[in-house]
Structures are given as structure tokens and as C-alpha cells.
Amino acid sequence: MNRCPEIITEYMHEYLDGEILPEHKNILTVHLKFCADCRQHFQELEKSIALVKSISHVQAPTDFTQKVLMNLPKEKKKVSVKR
Amino acid sequence: MDEFVKSRIKQVRKGDQNAFGEIVELYKDKVFQLCFRMLGNSHEAEDISQEAFIRAYINIERYNIDRKFSTWLYRIATNLCIDRIRKKKPDYYLDAEVAGTEGLTLYSQIPASQLAPDEEVSKIELQEIIQNEILKLPEKYRAVIVLKYIEELPLLEISKILDLPIGTVKTRIHRGREALRKQLRHI
């Protein structure tokens, strides 16, 4: 890995951003076939993204909207008077 | 969606609070989730997301109706989260992660490679570990990672929310991904 050109890591990120040029993708694909260290690096990147995406989505508490509405200023100009 | 939201906002500007209620209903989960993943604590997340909607209401005249409403709203919420993170920074890493996640901080500080190989990590524990690793990111990386991978927003929208050039957003995402790779590789 240390001896590999840094550009390979950049291509990995271009790929992960979904913005890789076909020729860069070609270079990356070939290099990953030959270099186990870079392959591992790339797999670890993909895995960490998958893990982050996997955390289940949370929802706002049920009374959330009601609470917001209760705390809105009645008339915008009176905020400072009321509080 | 955009047309509907814009028509509601015109009503809000006329003083219709019920119309604002519809807006809150539409976006509450997204905004709460953003705050929860940024702050790692549901009480704080509720506080800050409530605050974000109230500020949006108070400042609704300043919203440019030709732009996407969610971008403006996420921007308010993200800025509030970042402010909150900065304010609590001195003791943040010592205290905040322990609250409500007993043992997790201690547990997650042990390099995963030292865990017994047969250790079963339950789904909920795994989610807590991942959340905790997100919280370890400096806020500038945390914000882009949450917006990109939790809220699943395009780079262009993230750059508008954070008011940063798209190149800067990309660099931060790259560094955030590398940091997460190092933190999560052994899980």
C-alpha cells in the first residue's frame, strides 16, 4: 500500500462518490486485482459506508409537531413581551 | 412536493400556524434524525430539532421561496448542531458518550481486535458502536458523513446546506470515510 501511488486512493474515493471517469475506473480495477493491500483498503472503505448506512432510521417523538406549535410565538412581534 | 411546500409557506407567511404544522410533520423525522446522529443523544436531538423549526418559523420571511425549502431547513438544523457540539466540547469526549450507553464507551475504546473472536455483537449493540464512531468524528467530517450517508443527500445539496464549495465537501467526505475506515475496519 505504502508503495502504491496515492492516486489509487483518490480513484477509490472518486468511485465511491460515483464520479469516476471510465479510464480511472479501469486503472483502479486492474490495480485492485494485483494489489492485496489496496484491495483491503477499498473493501474496508466500502464496509464502513455499509455500516454507517445500516444504522436504522430514527423517528421524531410522537408529540413533536404539537410541541413545536405550542412553542411558536403567537405573533412574531410579541415574542420578547411574552417571554 | 416542492410546490405543495411552497404553497404552505405562503400560508405560513400570512400567519397560518396550521400550515406550519404540516411542514413540521413532513420534515420532523429527517431533521430529528440529522440532529440525533450529529449529537448522539435523543434529548438533545429533540431540543435542537424543535429549536430548528421554531427558528425557521420566526425567520420564514428570510427564506428564499425560489430555493429548496429542505436545504434551508437542514442548514438551520446543522448549524444549531455544530454550535451545540462546539459549546460542549471541553468535556464532551469524557462525558457525553457515556450517558445512556453504559459501558459502551469503555467497551468501544478497546480495540476491536482484542475482543474475543466468538464475541456476538447484537444488532442494537452494533448500531450503538457505529453511532459512537460517528460521534468521534470531528464535527466538520461528521456533518458531511451524516448528510451523505444517513440523510442520503446529493453532494450539491450538501454543499448548499453547509455553504461550502463542492470540492471542500468532497475532501471532507473523503477524509471522513478514511477516518471511519480506520475506526470500523475490525467490526
Side-chain angles (χ1 to χ4, degrees), chain A residues 9 13 16-17 19 41 44 47 49 51 55-60 64-65 67-69 72-73 76, chain B residues 17 21 25 29 32-33 37 46 49-50 53 57 60 127 130 149 170 174 177-178 181 185 187:
Chain A
T9 316
H13 286 286
L16 295 170
D17 286 340
E19 297 189 337
H41 187 116
E44 286 170 0
K47 178 176 141 186
I49 294 167
L51 285 171
I55 50 180
S56 55
H57 288 197
V58 292
Q59 288 183 334
F64 188 92
T65 304
K67 265 189 176 167
V68 172
L69 293 180
L72 292 182
K76 289 171 203 173
Chain B
Q17 295 198 339
E25 272 297 306
D29 288 337
F32 179 77
Q33 172 165 265
R37 296 304 180 196
E46 188 176 359
S49 41
Q50 287 272 333
F53 281 108
Y57 180 81
I60 200 73
Q127 293 195 350
I130 297 165
Y149 290 114
K170 279 187 195 170
H174 297 181
R177 277 199 294 243
E178 289 294 341
R181 177 183 77 87
R185 69 208 285 186
I187 287 175

Side-chain angles (χ1 to χ4, degrees), chain A residues 64-79 82-83, chain B residues 4-5 7-26 53-61 69:
Chain A
F64 188 92
T65 304
Q66 203 187 347
K67 265 189 176 167
V68 172
L69 293 180
M70 267 167 26
N71 288 312
L72 292 182
K74 290 282 176 267
E75 276 176 50
K76 289 171 203 173
K77 283 169 192 167
K78 285 185 186 166
V79 185
K82 281 210 75 178
R83 299 202 171 182
Chain B
F4 173 78
V5 170
S7 81
R8 294 287 79 189
I9 284 168
K10 284 176 189 158
Q11 283 304 112
V12 175
R13 283 178 171 168
K14 289 177 191 161
D16 182 348
Q17 295 198 339
N18 282 331
F20 192 67
E22 283 184 63
I23 303 270
V24 178
E25 272 297 306
L26 280 175
F53 281 108
I54 290 169
R55 288 207 187 185
Y57 180 81
I58 292 170
N59 294 300
I60 200 73
E61 300 296 336
F69 178 73

